[in-house]
Amino acid sequence: MRILEPGKVTDNIYLLGKKESNVYLLDGGDEAAILGGGMIYIAPDVIEQIEKINIDPKKIKKAVILHSHFDHIGILPYLKKKWQWIEIIGSKRAKELLSNEKVISSIQSLNDMILEKQNMKQKAKEIGLDFPKLDVEKVVSDGDTIKVGNFSLQVLEVPGHSSCSIALYEPKLKALFASDAGGIPMGDDVFTAANSNFDKYMDSLLRMSKLDVEIHLAEHFGAMTGEDAKKFMEKSIESAKQTRKILEDTYKKHKDISAATEEITNLLMSKLETEFLPREVISIVVGQMLKYISNNL
């Protein structure tokens, strides 16, 4: 089953945010955690949704960054400012990136662009929704465990989409919080986003495909349960293979990254059900993948 709208995924997992930008709340009984960080403009929705499900914010002790791209950390500075007791957790590489002034400046620019598109610049100013910085207060690495009340989240380093990507697996729930490292569900298709390193992206998909998964939790376009969850990683692997062929063939035709990026971006934008990210960002993703491909042909 596909779950696209905010609300309950299981008795312990809630999807928050909007259809195109999701974060999750894991309720472990005496403790809860926010998993993922979403786009900046969903912050007011997340606060309202947490109130509706009657979760005491003081129970939310942790927030885990699954990777540090701007559309996956946007609400966390706001939550940290509002609920100072939340501990921000991420990978060593995420901490390094979020300590870089150039990275923060880029995130701020992209957030401004998104807020402008959402007609939220004035509201953001009124409620103090900005991105001054984000400190990773606790670093986790492959094989570590993050305790959230009755649950234990196993940390897997899954680079490829980004150099800082991690996934979380809860064995009792058979739940995989894969973020974009697992591919992005797009209707019946999967959008391959191997921004950082295509070979590592594929290796990460293969690693995650070996897990016993009955709940797959993406950060764009919702969650899956049952057969949809079990089959998703297989679909993502097949999509990655097809995408790599398209990238290679298009680059060979043009022998130019810019021209190939333009052609593939046009193709992707025509197929996307909704503009979950602006064309400018999709073009950056395609260009990053083509750069890697051109260096490895």
Side-chain angles (χ1 to χ4, degrees):
M1 183 172 73
R2 289 287 301 277
I3 300 166
L4 297 173
E5 300 299 329
K8 185 180 287 190
V9 178
T10 72
D11 288 341
N12 306 99
I13 301 172
Y14 296 86
L15 187 160
L16 308 176
K18 292 182 179 290
K19 179 180 177 180
E20 71 279 6
S21 179
N22 320 132
V23 300
Y24 295 92
L25 185 142
L26 177 63
D27 185 357
D30 60 349
E31 183 181 13
I34 297 290
L35 307 179
M39 295 194 209
I40 192 168
Y41 68 86
I42 70 170
D45 300 276
V46 169
I47 298 298
E48 183 179 335
Q49 289 157 2
I50 290 172
E51 290 174 355
K52 282 185 178 179
I53 61 178
N54 202 27
I55 295 288
D56 182 355
K58 290 192 175 177
K59 192 167 92 167
I60 305 171
K61 303 295 187 184
K62 301 176 174 76
V64 185
I65 299 168
L66 299 184
H67 69 284
S68 63
H69 288 169
F70 85 100
D71 54 324
H72 294 268
I73 55 174
I75 73 171
L76 296 182
Y78 182 73
L79 292 188
K80 180 67 178 180
K81 182 164 52 178
K82 188 176 181 66
W83 300 329
Q84 298 175 7
W85 56 85
I86 290 180
E87 181 180 42
I88 305 296
I89 301 171
S91 68
K92 179 181 178 182
R93 179 60 176 154
K95 183 177 179 67
E96 291 171 353
L97 289 168
L98 293 170
S99 299
N100 186 310
E101 290 184 7
K102 289 183 178 179
V103 171
I104 295 298
S105 178
S106 175
I107 291 169
Q108 290 169 338
S109 296
L110 289 165
N111 281 340
D112 285 344
M113 179 177 66
I114 291 291
L115 289 170
E116 185 75 45
K117 285 181 176 289
Q118 294 291 324
N119 296 313
M120 276 188 62
K121 293 210 76 168
Q122 183 58 38
K123 183 175 182 179
K125 184 177 180 180
E126 290 171 359
I127 67 175
L129 185 58
D130 56 5
F131 199 100
K133 63 176 182 176
L134 182 61
D135 295 326
V136 176
E137 298 163 307
K138 181 179 179 180
V139 168
V140 291
S141 57
D142 198 80
D144 286 347
T145 297
I146 301 171
K147 294 284 290 181
V148 181
N150 298 323
F151 298 116
S152 297
L153 295 165
Q154 298 174 359
V155 177
L156 296 84
E157 292 184 4
V158 285
H161 173 67
S162 72
S163 59
C164 62
S165 287
I166 59 173
L168 303 173
Y169 179 68
E170 211 302 316
K172 287 191 288 189
L173 297 173
K174 297 183 180 180
L176 176 64
F177 299 84
S179 193
D180 293 359
I184 301 170
M186 288 285 186
D188 292 329
D189 299 321
V190 181
F191 179 80
T192 295
N195 307 32
S196 174
N197 183 307
F198 213 112
D199 291 319
K200 288 183 179 180
Y201 178 82
M202 182 62 81
D203 288 343
S204 293
L205 292 180
L206 291 170
R207 182 183 185 193
M208 287 186 283
S209 73
K210 294 179 172 63
L211 297 170
D212 184 7
V213 173
E214 293 185 0
I215 308 166
H216 182 100
L217 303 122
E219 287 188 64
H220 298 291
F221 303 110
M224 286 152 276
T225 62
E227 287 301 308
D228 287 318
K230 291 176 182 178
K231 294 178 179 178
F232 183 76
M233 204 57 66
E234 179 182 331
K235 289 175 63 175
S236 192
I237 290 169
E238 184 58 32
S239 172
K241 291 176 180 176
Q242 293 175 4
T243 299
R244 182 154 192 160
K245 187 176 188 311
I246 292 169
L247 291 165
E248 290 177 349
D249 290 348
T250 308
Y251 178 75
K252 287 175 183 177
K253 180 173 74 173
H254 290 285
K255 299 291 185 184
D256 178 81
I257 290 177
S258 295
T261 297
E262 180 71 11
E263 179 175 329
I264 294 173
T265 301
N266 288 338
L267 174 65
L268 290 173
M269 294 304 296
S270 70
K271 289 185 174 183
L272 295 181
E273 289 184 347
T274 182
E275 189 176 331
F276 81 103
L277 287 173
R279 179 189 174 88
E280 300 93 321
V281 178
I282 297 295
S283 180
I284 290 170
V285 172
V286 173
Q288 288 171 334
M289 290 195 288
L290 280 165
K291 183 177 180 181
Y292 181 84
I293 293 296
S294 68
N295 289 332
N296 288 274
L297 280 174

